[in-house]
Amino acid sequence: MDVRSRNHVRVTGRAGGPVVVLAHGFGCDQNMWRLVVPILERDFTVVVFDHVGAGSSQLSAWSRARYSSLDGYVSDVLEVCRDLDLGPVTFVGHSVSAMMGVLAAVREPEAFAGLVLLAPSPCFVDDPAADYRGGFSAADIDELLESLDANYLGWSGAMAPVIMGNPERPELGAELTNSFCRTDPEIARVFARVTFLSDNRADLAGVRVPTLVAQCSHDTLAPPEVGAFVHARIPGSRLVTLTATGHCPQLAAPEETAAALAAFTGTTR
């Protein structure tokens, strides 16, 4: 299957400019970047795509065997980069896609000019023995996944506004709810386990490309301690705390998000 069709790859922006690849998180698609893309297009070649199983990707390409771990998604990211043939790219991974970027950069560092890890979490589960706070106890995650299995649409309606934050702007939570509800429940159940049960803490030290860790000032899913942990474990990384709140700054604060991405990408040329 053609990679660009499989992942609904779209390329816009300034031809010959530094290449920025934007990767969405769980329950979303490339539409989540729509407010950031027009800002970046002025100076960069901008690539957006849908993970298989999301948005307008080829759903026939999805299989539980390939996408029951991050490895299948990482292979897709690298295949998209090779197919673009635009040289090293700055990969911007939101939420779970941040760890896809980490694993891809460890596997093929030559493909990347830089990484931007937006609201990243290498492990959502607390690990008291290692003095690590991921934001959720193991029991919390079990309850979350059981609720998702029992009633995915109900779970989406309850969880999406919590994830989005910004309760004074209910339209943002409604948008994320609608995005979740467009996802096939079977695919969402598998991807949720990949998202919330993966532990990539040990992989961070293997990153050898310039990296920006961009966290939000208040984020229910990825508290500040997580961003600090990621920054401390990736050699030479930079950490920026956005004034944006919630887990989706590309929707809640697109100008601030785009400015942080552009400033970092300009330094990796």
Side-chain angles (χ1 to χ4, degrees):
M1 182 179 294
D2 174 72
V3 170
R4 296 199 185 201
S5 297
R6 183 191 68 191
N7 289 97
H8 191 220
V9 179
R10 295 190 304 120
V11 183
T12 61
R14 184 165 72 84
V19 183
V20 180
V21 178
L22 308 176
H24 65 83
F26 168 81
C28 305
D29 58 31
Q30 62 183 255
N31 192 54
M32 297 296 282
W33 297 105
R34 71 183 186 282
L35 302 179
V36 169
V37 168
I39 303 172
L40 295 178
E41 283 176 332
R42 303 166 193 161
D43 299 303
F44 304 100
T45 298
V46 181
V47 180
V48 292
F49 69 98
D50 294 328
H51 290 305
V52 171
S56 296
S57 66
Q58 293 290 332
L59 296 184
S60 61
W62 187 87
S63 72
R64 183 182 294 268
R66 181 174 175 89
Y67 296 106
S68 61
S69 75
L70 287 177
D71 288 343
Y73 294 99
V74 172
S75 294
D76 286 358
V77 166
L78 292 170
E79 288 170 11
V80 167
C81 291
R82 283 193 290 269
D83 187 75
L84 290 169
D85 195 24
L86 294 173
V89 307
T90 296
F91 180 87
V92 182
H94 173 236
S95 193
V96 66
S97 283
M99 292 306 110
M100 296 177 196
V102 163
L103 294 174
V106 170
R107 191 186 298 181
E108 295 187 19
E110 67 278 3
F112 300 96
L115 293 179
V116 177
L117 310 181
L118 183 63
S121 177
C123 180
F124 284 99
V125 183
D126 297 337
D127 183 358
D131 195 28
Y132 172 79
R133 181 181 177 230
F136 299 86
S137 69
D140 289 336
I141 294 295
D142 287 343
E143 183 178 348
L144 181 153
L145 294 175
E146 288 172 5
S147 176
L148 186 152
D149 287 343
N151 181 0
Y152 176 65
L153 294 181
W155 178 90
S156 298
M159 280 298 297
V162 175
I163 293 170
M164 178 60 73
N166 296 277
E168 74 285 359
R169 300 167 66 188
E171 71 278 5
L172 296 179
E175 177 169 346
L176 190 60
T177 299
N178 291 335
S179 179
F180 280 12
C181 291
R182 287 195 299 270
T183 305
D184 180 276
E186 178 187 358
I187 293 173
R189 291 183 185 103
V190 175
F191 198 13
R193 281 167 170 75
V194 172
T195 299
F196 292 109
L197 296 179
S198 293
D199 185 350
N200 299 106
R201 287 177 290 172
D203 299 299
L204 300 174
V207 175
R208 291 292 184 270
V209 302
T211 300
L212 175 69
V213 180
Q215 64 182 11
C216 294
S217 59
H218 178 77
D219 183 345
T220 300
L221 255 63
E225 295 93 330
V226 175
F229 179 91
V230 174
H231 168 52
R233 295 306 188 278
I234 296 181
S237 65
R238 308 176 205 175
L239 174 65
V240 62
T241 299
L242 305 174
T243 60
T245 61
H247 193 60
C248 302
Q250 67 270 56
L251 283 181
E255 295 86 0
E256 182 184 25
T257 303
L261 304 186
F264 173 75
T265 302
T267 68
T268 63
R269 300 180 65 177

